[in-house]
Amino acid sequence: MVAATTGDREAGWREAYTRVRKNPLTPVDRTNRARLRAMGFDDLDPGVEWLDLGAGDGNLSATLLDLGVRRLTALEVQADLATRVPRSAAVAVGDGRALPLAGGWVA
């Protein structure tokens, strides 16, 4: 799994997430694609393993799969939401803060 560096990537995600606002008339997939582009993920390597942490109802997972990602794990703490994640993703129900990461846990 490729780990993103926290500093620039985290700031980039926050900026992209708030700049590309959800519009009720814009399809979710289009909003997700715009956010990924704003973060610098223009060309997704389908061989890279992705983790959708806090996957919710799986709409970002669905976008990543549509863009050609083949190895995707979706982690969601709420079991009822996790059932909506596309089945072509590996789905796990759990708390991301419990993940064993080299630097500790996810804040």
Side-chain angles (χ1 to χ4, degrees), residues 82-93:
T83 62
R84 301 181 200 166
V85 174
R87 289 295 152 219
S88 52
V91 181
V93 175

Side-chain angles (χ1 to χ4, degrees), residues 61-105:
S61 292
T63 299
L64 289 167
L65 292 166
D66 286 346
L67 290 171
V69 170
R70 293 188 303 258
R71 298 177 351 170
L72 174 74
T73 300
L75 179 65
E76 174 54 46
V77 73
Q78 296 181 45
D80 60 325
L81 283 177
T83 62
R84 301 181 200 166
V85 174
R87 289 295 152 219
S88 52
V91 181
V93 175
D95 190 334
R97 293 174 294 182
L99 290 175
L101 302 175
W105 53 277

